[in-house]
Amino acid sequence: MAIISELCIVLLVSLLGEVISYILPFTFPSALVSLFLMLVLLATGAIKEERIEHVTAFFLSNMAFFFVPAGVKLVENLDAFLSSWLEILVIVVVSLLTTFLAAAKSVEFVEFLTERYLKKRGAKT
């Protein structure tokens, strides 16, 4: 019964993300709204990690299964994919490098803020 309540929590947050995404005056993916909402709920303690740990562990351990429809769609449209493989490759490489750069700069910024905070408190890094 606990798994059903955990699944209900995750599905309710997902549904709320869908509603918020629909209400927004601009286009924004409901999945990202749901993820941000779950982050806020977990960070504020409104939802405890223990309340969703089993169902989220299941989703993470079976993540590959959720990519099967995308893989099937790719194979169905393989001719369109192959006709523009160079453009797709450029987009993948540029977005990969941009993501790496953004992640690295984010880590550097957090380290800078942490060092500044620790110096302000008088602690040594």
Side-chain angles (χ1 to χ4, degrees):
M1 200 63 165
I3 298 234
I4 294 174
S5 66
E6 290 183 20
L7 184 60
C8 284
I9 291 171
V10 172
L11 291 176
L12 283 173
V13 170
S14 181
L15 179 64
L16 190 57
E18 289 282 343
V19 170
I20 293 171
S21 177
Y22 180 77
I23 292 172
L24 289 174
F26 50 88
T27 305
F28 200 79
S30 60
L32 291 180
V33 174
S34 300
L35 284 172
F36 181 72
L37 185 59
M38 183 65 81
L39 173 67
V40 169
L41 291 171
L42 286 169
T44 60
I47 295 178
K48 302 288 184 207
E49 290 179 44
E50 298 82 34
R51 299 276 303 158
I52 58 170
E53 68 182 339
H54 294 101
V55 79
T56 53
F58 170 79
F59 284 144
L60 286 174
S61 63
N62 295 295
M63 189 180 294
F65 173 75
F66 298 107
F67 286 98
V68 169
V72 169
K73 201 58 145 170
L74 179 65
V75 171
E76 285 178 356
N77 297 307
L78 195 58
D79 54 336
F81 177 76
L82 292 176
S83 67
S84 56
W85 68 270
L86 184 60
E87 293 88 351
I88 293 171
L89 181 66
V90 169
I91 291 169
V92 167
V93 169
V94 169
S95 61
L96 178 73
L97 293 175
T98 305
T99 303
F100 281 168
L101 181 64
K105 292 300 178 185
S106 297
V107 168
E108 287 178 4
F109 183 64
V110 169
E111 285 178 345
F112 167 76
L113 290 177
T114 304
E115 287 176 11
R116 195 170 89 179
Y117 174 76
L118 291 175
K119 285 180 185 177
K120 189 181 283 187
R121 293 194 63 205
K124 299 204 188 243
T125 57

